[in-house]
Amino acid sequence: MDTFASLREIQEKLQSGAVTCVQVVTSYLDRIEKHTHLNAFLEVYHQEALQKAQQIDQKISDGTAGRLAGLVVGLKDMLCYQDHSLQAGSKILSGFESQFTGTAVERLLHQDAIIIGRQNCDEFGMGSSNENSAFGATLNGIDTKRVPGGSSGGSAVAVQMDMCHISLGTDTGGSVRQPAAFTGIIGLKPTYSRISRHGLVAYASSFDSIGIFSKSLEDNALILEIIAGQDEYDSTVSRSAVPEFSSIKALKKCKIGYIRESVETEGVQPEIREKTMEQLELLQQSGHQVTAVDFPLIEYVLPTYYLLTTAEASSNLARYDGVKYGYRSQHQESLDGFYKNTRSEGFGNEVQKRIMLGTFVLSASYYDAYYTKAQKVRRLIKDKTREFFDSFDFLVMPTTPTTAFELNKYADDPLEMYWSDLFTTPASVSGNPAISIPNGFDKNGLPIGFQIIADDFNEQGLYALSREILKGREN
Amino acid sequence: MSAETNPTYQAVIGLEVHIQLLTSSKLFASDANKYGDPPNTNISVITLAHPGTLPRVNKQALELAIKMGLACGSEISQYMIFDRKNYFYPDLPKGYQLTQDRTPICVGGSIEVVTDQGPREIKLNRIHLEEDAGKSFHPPHTNESLVDFNRAGTPLIELVTEPVLHHPDEAYQLLSEIRKLVTFLGICDGNMEQGSLRCDCNVSVRRMGETALGKKVEIKNMNSVRNVRRAIEKEVKRQIGQLEKGDRIISETRSFDEKTGGSTSMRSKEEVTDYRYFPEPDLSPLQIPDDWLQSIKEAMPVLPKQLQLQLEEQFGFVLEDALFLTDSVEMHNFFDQAVKQFPYPEHILNWLKGPVQSVLNERGITISQLGLTTSQLGELASLTAGELSFSVAAQKILPLLLEDPSGTPKAIADRLGLLGSSNSDQLEPVVLEVLETFPDKVNAYKKGKKGLLGFFMGQVMKKTNSTVDPKMANELLSKHLN
C-alpha cells in the first residue's frame, strides 16, 4: 500500500471505504517488518494494534470515531503506557511494566489513535546519536552507516520510513529537533510546560518536554492541540488556554532575527550555512524583515545546559536502586555494594558519567560555583530571550551544525558530540517553543534542518511560518 | 539541672520535633495516610517512585502546618518551594526526600513553658513540611531486610527550636506543651509510642558564662516525654564527665536506651553528610492566598491557654484545676460535654481530678479509653451535688458504672438503696436550716404543740425532693427540738 501524506488523507479514505483501519495498520506493520534492521522499534504491538483497528473500523461505520481515528502512533521508550514495558532504553528497567498511562498518550487514545509500538532511544534521553541505547543503535533510514540523531532516534526513523504516522518523542536539549533534522522530517518541541510531563520518564525535569514527529505540519499541529494543556497530575503545566493549533493561521509580515554566530561559526557545515542563508533570503523576498542579531550569551548556553541537566538527572535517576523494581545485581554482599553493583551494571556509560557530573555539580564545595552560577546564567538567558521577542517575532538558525554523522564517530571523544546540541539547547534552556523543518540536503543527500524559535506559548506562530516556508519550497 | 550538679557548666538544648499530620492522604499522593495497615497496602505509583510520576501537593497538609504556625505565633510563608534532600536508603523510594530547606512554611514564633523557674517563652526557629520515609525491618536470624512503604510520603511537620533550653525539665515542659497544642489543634494524635510524635534532642554543654556553643550531640529514639527528660539528664552528665576527664566531646548521633536512660553512639557527625539540596523542579512554587490564610485563621480552635483562662473566669477555678482540665483535649472535651448536660462544674471537676483520674493513672489510659460517658459522669455529679455522699458514690457507684457502660448512676444508686437514705451528716444541715427558718414554730413546738413535727417533716421533704429517709429525718428533728 502507498504511504499517506496526511491524517486527512487517511480519514478521507476510511470514510469513503477505500481502505479500512485494519489495512492501514497492516501497511505500517509491513513497513516495520521491512525495516527491522534499522532497530527503530524495541517492541511492536501487532495483535493489539490490529484489534484496536477493528474496533475503530466499527466506530467509523457507527459514526462514533474520535478525531484521531486512523492515526498510527509510535512512542519513544520514555513514555508510560499502562501494562506495557517501559525501559527508557536502559537495562536498569529490565522487566518493568508501567502501571499507568501518561496524560499525553491517554489523550491520544481517547481520540482513537492506535499505538503501534515502543521506540528505541538513547538511555534516559541522554545522547545525540541514539548510540547510547542498551538495545543498540538505531540507524538512519537514508544512510544506514549514519546515526539518526538522538535521543529520540527510533521515533524519528519510524516516521522517516513510514513505520508509523506520528511519533511522540521527548526533547530535553534537542532530542526531537535534532533527529528530525537528521532524518528530514518535522520535529516540534513546544513551550516548556505546554504538555503535561505525567508519564514522561524524567531526565532533567525543568527541561523535559514531550515533542512531536511528523511529516505533515497540519498533523503535528493537531496532535499538539489534543495533547497540550492543564493536567491535575502535573502541577507545573501551564494553565494558559490551548489554541486551535490545527487551523494554522496565515502569517502577517514579521520580524525575523537570526544569530550571526549560528551561520558564521567555523564549525557549521558549509552546505548548512548556504541553505540557511538561502532560506533567509527567500523570507526577505517575501516581505519579512530579516536581521542578523548578536546573542552574546550563546557561548554559555551549552555549559549551562549540561550543568543543570546533569544536576537534575543525578537526583531523578536515584530511584533506580534495585530495591523496588527493575534490574537488581546478583552481587549483594552489603547495602553499599548492592547499590553500586546494581547501578554500575544497570546504567550505561553515558548515564553514569552524567550522574557523576551532576552529583559533583550539586556537592557542597562546588554548589555555588556550578549549580548556583548556572541557575543565574539560565535566568539571564531567559531574560535576554524575552527581550529579544519584544522586538522580534521569530529567531531562526540551523537545527544542527552538521548533517547526520557516521556511527561511532565520537566513540573516542564523547564530549565532542555535545557540540551537536549547540543550536537546540538555547530553546531548552529558555523554555521557548521551537520547531525543526526540512531545509534541503547536503552534497551527500543528507537532510538539513531549519529551526524556528518563537516567544513563549506562540506555537501558532511556529506553525504559520513553517507552513509559509514549506509551501514556498513546493512551488 | 547541670547547674545543680555542677554549677560551673551550662547545658544548651535544642529540640527537633517531628509531628505526623492527621491528613487523610499522603503529602504528595492520594494513598491513605493510615497507621497499622498491612505492609505495603497504601502504595501508589507515586509513593513507589515509578518512572513518570510527579508529586501533587496535599492542601490539607498545608492547612494543618499553617494552624501549628498560627498557634505558635510564627510568620506564615505565603510563597514557598520544596527542596530535594538527596540520599540513598532502601526505605526512601525516590532517592530523595521532599522537604523545605530554604522556605519553611512557618518562620519563628514561640511557645510558653512553665517550670519551677517560672514562665518562659521558648523561641522557635522554624516549622517546615516534609514527607516521611518508609520503614525498614531486619528480621533476626535471616540475612534479609524488608521494607514497608505505607509510611513513605506521609506528611510531617518538623518543629525546630532555637538552642535556648538549659534544663532537662524545660525540654520536658516544652514537649508536653507541644503535644498538648497539636492535639488541641487536631493536627496530630501526639502518640510518641507509635511514633506520630518524635523528638530528637541536640545537647551540648559549655562553661558558665561562655557564649560559644559546645560540640553538639543528637539523641534519638525516645518514646515518651518523660524519657526525653531522662535522656537529656544523662547526656548532660555524660558530657560534663567527659570534659572533666579532659576528653573532648565527639559530635555524633546517639540512640536512647530505655532500660538505662543512657544512650549509645549510632554514627559520628564529624564528617558532614552532603544532602545536595536543590529546589524540586517537579512542583510549581506554592502560593498561600490571603483569603485562604484568613479562612484558616478564622477556623482556628480555641487554644489550651485560652481555654484555661476561660475556665478560671467562667467557673472560678483555680489555676491548678484549670490546667488539669486543659492538660489534654480529651479531658477538656469530656468536661465541656458533661457540664453542658449537667450544670455542676465544681462537682464534675472533683469527680474528674479525684476518683476518675486515679482510675486513669492506675490503668495507664486516657479518659476516652475509659468507657465512661459524659452523661454518666454528669449525672453522678448531679447526685453528689444533692444528698448523695461523694465518698460512697466513688466507692460504690463508679466501679459498677465502669463495669457496665449502659448503667446509669441513678439506677445503680436506687438499686443499692443509696438514695433517700443518706447519712445524718448530710441531712443534719437541712434539718437545722428548716428549724432556723421557722423560729416561731419551734417555740410553739417547745411549748407543747407537738403536732408541728409533721410540719417540719414536710419542710425537710420539700427541701430534699423527698429523697431522704423519713425515719432518719424524724430522729434528727426530734433530737434538735428537744
Side-chain angles (χ1 to χ4, degrees):
Chain A
M1 189 184 292
D2 292 340
T3 56
F4 305 98
S6 68
L7 178 61
R8 177 185 290 178
E9 186 195 328
I10 297 173
Q11 288 182 337
E12 277 168 7
K13 288 186 173 163
L14 287 171
Q15 284 302 336
S16 72
V19 293
T20 63
C21 200
V22 170
Q23 286 173 320
V24 171
V25 168
T26 307
S27 76
Y28 285 113
L29 288 171
D30 288 348
R31 279 187 296 270
I32 290 174
E33 184 68 28
K34 196 176 135 201
H35 297 300
T36 315
H37 63 287
L38 298 178
N39 199 21
F41 278 87
L42 299 176
E43 203 178 345
V44 181
Y45 311 137
H46 290 98
Q47 291 312 312
E48 230 181 279
L50 286 169
Q51 265 171 23
K52 186 80 191 284
Q54 267 176 354
Q55 290 165 14
I56 289 167
D57 277 328
Q58 186 59 46
K59 279 191 172 181
I60 290 170
S61 70
D62 296 347
T64 58
R67 292 176 77 189
L68 300 181
L71 182 79
V72 174
V73 180
L75 301 178
K76 184 182 186 180
D77 190 20
M78 291 277 279
L79 297 169
C80 300
Y81 182 21
Q82 189 169 6
D83 299 329
H84 290 78
S85 296
L86 174 72
Q87 284 191 241
S90 179
K91 184 177 168 187
I92 199 120
L93 276 169
S94 299
F96 183 77
E97 275 187 8
S98 185
Q99 291 180 17
F100 68 100
T101 299
T103 301
V105 177
E106 190 66 58
R107 289 178 184 177
L108 291 183
L109 291 171
H110 185 68
Q111 294 297 337
D112 288 335
I114 295 172
I115 311 293
I116 200 161
R118 176 163 72 97
Q119 296 160 333
N120 203 357
C121 60
D122 282 307
E123 190 178 359
F124 286 99
M126 298 179 189
S128 313
S129 67
N130 217 107
E131 290 166 291
N132 300 333
S133 164
F135 301 94
T138 300
L139 312 180
N140 197 324
I142 207 161
D143 177 351
T144 55
K145 286 195 226 37
R146 292 180 185 268
V147 303
S151 65
S152 317
S155 308
V157 171
V159 170
Q160 176 193 31
M161 305 311 285
D162 293 297
M163 296 187 262
C164 57
H165 192 77
I166 292 280
S167 291
L168 287 192
T170 64
D171 188 318
T172 305
S175 286
V176 165
R177 289 160 287 156
Q178 186 250 23
F182 279 13
T183 54
I185 61 172
I186 296 168
L188 171 88
K189 177 200 89 78
T191 315
Y192 178 77
S193 83
R194 180 60 108 173
I195 303 175
S196 168
R197 288 183 293 120
H198 172 63
L200 188 173
V201 179
Y203 156 19
S205 308
S206 72
F207 295 78
D208 291 341
S209 176
I210 287 179
I212 304 162
F213 289 103
S214 68
K215 286 188 171 170
S216 144
L217 192 69
E218 283 70 21
D219 292 349
N220 201 299
L222 174 63
I223 298 301
L224 180 63
E225 180 179 321
I226 286 170
I227 66 180
Q230 237 177 299
D231 177 25
E232 58 165 323
Y233 293 101
D234 179 357
S235 73
T236 66
V237 177
S238 164
R239 293 204 169 82
S240 15
V242 177
E244 258 186 57
F245 291 119
S246 54
S247 52
I248 298 176
K249 302 262 183 317
L251 191 65
K252 293 188 187 116
K253 298 306 165 210
C254 51
K255 287 182 172 173
I256 300 171
Y258 69 96
I259 297 179
R260 207 187 306 273
E261 295 98 314
S262 73
V263 281
E264 286 174 4
T265 309
E266 277 302 299
V268 177
Q269 199 177 312
E271 298 107 302
I272 292 184
R273 201 181 303 171
E274 285 156 27
K275 288 283 176 189
T276 306
M277 291 314 290
E278 264 173 43
Q279 188 56 62
L280 292 174
E281 270 159 41
L282 282 174
L283 286 167
Q284 199 149 22
Q285 281 163 24
S286 51
H288 300 296
Q289 191 182 316
V290 179
T291 321
V293 294
D294 290 311
F295 199 80
L297 291 172
I298 189 104
E299 60 177 306
Y300 299 107
V301 170
L302 215 48
T304 303
Y305 170 79
Y306 275 100
L307 289 172
L308 295 178
T309 54
T310 54
E312 290 182 16
S314 70
S315 172
N316 281 334
L317 272 59
R319 65 189 59 192
Y320 307 109
D321 57 5
V323 174
K324 307 165 294 285
Y325 46 74
Y327 180 77
R328 176 182 289 185
S329 172
Q330 291 310 302
H331 307 100
Q332 321 179 348
E333 54 290 338
S334 66
L335 183 59
D336 267 10
F338 169 79
Y339 284 141
K340 283 177 186 163
N341 292 326
T342 295
R343 288 165 67 81
S344 300
E345 294 161 23
F347 287 130
N349 287 342
E350 182 64 26
V351 171
Q352 292 189 38
K353 185 170 71 193
R354 293 197 197 190
I355 289 172
M356 284 190 272
L357 265 172
T359 306
F360 176 77
V361 166
L362 288 174
S363 63
S365 334
Y366 298 95
Y367 194 91
D368 286 338
Y370 293 118
Y371 183 77
T372 309
K373 183 65 81 55
Q375 285 288 26
K376 285 180 183 162
V377 177
R378 186 180 197 189
R379 168 50 53 203
L380 285 178
I381 292 169
K382 283 188 182 193
D383 290 347
K384 285 284 169 203
T385 309
R386 196 150 299 145
E387 240 171 65
F388 172 87
F389 286 112
D390 285 342
S391 31
F392 287 90
D393 300 301
F394 300 104
L395 176 63
V396 299
M397 62 184 99
T399 310
T400 56
T402 69
T403 53
F405 45 85
E406 288 177 350
L407 288 156
N408 291 318
K409 184 175 179 196
Y410 297 111
D412 298 329
D413 193 0
L415 275 180
E416 196 56 31
M417 203 197 297
Y418 290 3
W419 287 105
S420 64
D421 303 333
L422 185 62
F423 298 142
T424 49
T425 43
S428 297
V429 171
S430 67
N432 289 69
I435 195 167
S436 176
I437 56 174
N439 188 26
F441 300 88
D442 72 2
K443 61 177 190 291
N444 294 317
L446 297 171
I448 293 171
F450 184 76
Q451 185 182 211
I452 311 167
I453 302 170
D455 201 359
D456 281 340
F457 300 104
N458 187 20
E459 289 88 353
Q460 273 182 308
L462 289 184
Y463 287 129
L465 181 58
S466 298
R467 189 172 67 173
E468 191 175 307
I469 293 173
L470 293 171
K471 274 234 153 81
R473 211 166 298 139
E474 282 166 20
N475 301 331
Chain B
M1 198 64 54
S2 59
E4 281 94 286
T5 51
N6 190 332
T8 54
Y9 289 96
Q10 182 188 40
V12 179
I13 304 152
L15 303 187
E16 292 173 13
V17 185
H18 285 92
I19 299 158
Q20 239 172 41
L21 297 178
L22 283 172
T23 54
S24 45
S25 59
K26 294 186 178 179
L27 186 49
F28 299 109
S30 56
D31 312 346
N33 171 22
K34 245 171 104 196
Y35 179 85
D37 278 358
N40 294 315
T41 48
N42 300 319
I43 47 165
S44 65
V45 287
I46 297 181
T47 296
L48 290 180
H50 276 209
T53 53
L54 298 168
R56 304 158 73 185
V57 174
N58 178 345
K59 281 185 86 176
Q60 196 194 1
L62 296 179
E63 190 175 321
L64 300 191
I66 290 172
K67 278 188 174 177
M68 186 64 182
L70 291 173
C72 300
S74 313
E75 189 190 316
I76 308 299
S77 308
Q78 289 186 256
Y79 176 92
M80 67 194 122
I81 58 167
F82 279 88
D83 297 282
R84 290 188 183 179
K85 178 181 181 181
N86 295 283
Y87 66 94
F88 282 95
Y89 204 70
D91 60 21
L92 188 72
K94 293 189 289 289
Y96 53 84
Q97 177 197 30
L98 290 185
T99 178
Q100 296 185 308
D101 185 45
R102 282 153 236 240
T103 54
I105 187 162
C106 313
V107 181
S110 65
I111 295 174
E112 188 191 76
V113 296
V114 183
T115 64
D116 305 347
Q117 326 272 315
R120 200 184 150 210
E121 290 284 329
I122 304 301
K123 283 210 173 347
L124 308 185
N125 175 290
R126 52 150 63 194
I127 302 170
H128 68 252
L129 263 167
E130 62 186 27
E131 57 178 340
D132 210 342
K135 259 186 179 163
S136 300
F137 300 90
H138 311 287
H141 317 301
T142 73
N143 55 2
E144 286 180 330
S145 289
L146 305 172
V147 193
D148 176 7
F149 288 111
N150 281 353
R151 200 181 66 182
T154 57
L156 295 176
I157 50 177
E158 183 178 340
L159 179 150
V160 183
T161 72
E162 296 290 356
V164 291
L165 301 160
H166 298 299
H167 302 280
D169 193 49
E170 274 184 338
Y172 173 88
Q173 296 298 343
L174 177 63
L175 192 55
S176 307
E177 208 54 44
I178 290 170
R179 186 160 72 165
K180 199 157 127 177
L181 260 184
V182 297
T183 51
F184 273 87
L185 291 169
I187 66 172
C188 173
D189 64 19
N191 189 324
M192 285 194 73
E193 265 174 44
Q194 288 180 0
S196 40
L197 189 75
R198 309 195 280 270
C199 178
D200 301 339
C201 306
N202 288 307
V203 180
S204 65
V205 297
R206 62 184 171 199
R207 289 203 173 265
M208 206 48 112
E210 259 177 37
T211 49
L213 291 170
K215 279 251 173 137
K216 84 179 171 191
V217 169
E218 183 180 8
I219 326 170
K220 282 179 176 303
N221 301 334
M222 287 76 76
N223 60 357
S224 72
V225 183
R226 234 166 42 83
N227 279 337
V228 167
R229 179 165 56 192
R230 277 175 79 203
I232 298 173
E233 280 168 1
K234 280 259 183 177
E235 178 59 20
V236 170
K237 277 192 189 143
R238 189 189 70 85
Q239 288 188 20
I240 293 173
Q242 294 276 105
L243 293 176
E244 288 290 297
K245 275 194 292 178
D247 290 346
R248 69 184 193 103
I249 306 292
I250 295 165
S251 187
E252 61 184 347
T253 303
R254 298 178 69 88
S255 178
F256 175 72
D257 178 354
E258 198 182 350
K259 281 187 204 125
T260 64
S263 58
T264 49
S265 181
M266 285 168 78
R267 55 180 175 265
S268 166
K269 279 192 158 187
E270 297 282 289
E271 274 180 51
V272 185
T273 319
D274 187 354
Y275 290 115
R276 290 172 282 122
Y277 287 98
F278 75 101
E280 161 64 310
D282 284 337
L283 281 173
S284 286
L286 293 170
Q287 314 251 18
I288 311 287
D290 289 338
D291 54 344
W292 189 32
L293 185 57
Q294 190 54 37
S295 70
I296 298 173
K297 279 182 186 162
E298 280 160 13
M300 281 288 279
V302 186
L303 298 177
K305 176 83 188 170
Q306 292 158 274
L307 287 173
Q308 170 212 318
L309 294 174
Q310 272 177 17
L311 289 172
E312 290 177 30
E313 196 171 301
Q314 191 179 347
F315 302 115
F317 290 162
V318 296
L319 174 66
E320 192 195 332
D321 290 340
L323 281 175
F324 168 79
L325 289 176
T326 54
D327 188 50
S328 75
V329 69
E330 292 178 334
M331 185 57 88
H332 181 264
N333 285 348
F334 194 96
F335 172 81
D336 196 48
Q337 288 299 316
V339 169
K340 272 186 190 138
Q341 298 167 72
F342 298 90
Y344 303 94
E346 193 76 41
H347 296 270
I348 291 172
L349 167 71
N350 289 337
W351 271 102
L352 287 173
K353 70 173 180 183
V356 171
Q357 186 59 41
S358 41
V359 176
L360 297 182
N361 291 346
E362 220 169 84
R363 302 192 187 173
I365 55 171
T366 65
I367 186 127
S368 54
Q369 295 165 318
L370 184 61
L372 186 72
T373 67
T374 51
S375 56
Q376 284 174 326
L377 188 87
E379 192 178 309
L380 209 44
S382 76
L383 293 178
T384 52
E387 80 291 358
L388 182 62
S389 151
F390 184 80
S391 56
V392 171
Q395 277 168 29
K396 299 204 166 150
I397 302 180
L398 184 63
L400 289 174
L401 272 179
L402 294 177
E403 276 167 31
D404 174 18
S406 61
T408 72
K410 189 147 195 314
I412 295 172
D414 278 337
R415 201 169 71 228
L416 299 178
L418 297 174
L419 291 180
S421 59
S422 55
N423 60 39
S424 54
D425 289 355
Q426 283 185 327
L427 189 52
E428 200 156 15
V430 181
V431 167
L432 288 174
E433 196 188 338
V434 166
L435 296 182
E436 274 165 31
T437 319
F438 303 102
D440 294 347
K441 296 219 158 52
V442 172
N443 274 333
Y445 178 88
K446 285 187 173 165
K447 283 176 184 158
K449 243 185 147 181
K450 302 295 177 198
L452 279 170
L453 188 64
F455 167 77
F456 292 124
M457 268 301 278
Q459 289 300 317
V460 170
M461 285 303 165
K462 201 172 154 194
K463 271 199 176 296
T464 59
N465 293 327
S466 308
T467 56
V468 297
D469 180 4
K471 197 173 142 222
M472 187 185 289
N474 201 332
E475 275 169 19
L476 283 169
L477 279 170
S478 306
K479 183 178 123 191
H480 287 286
L481 284 167
N482 299 322

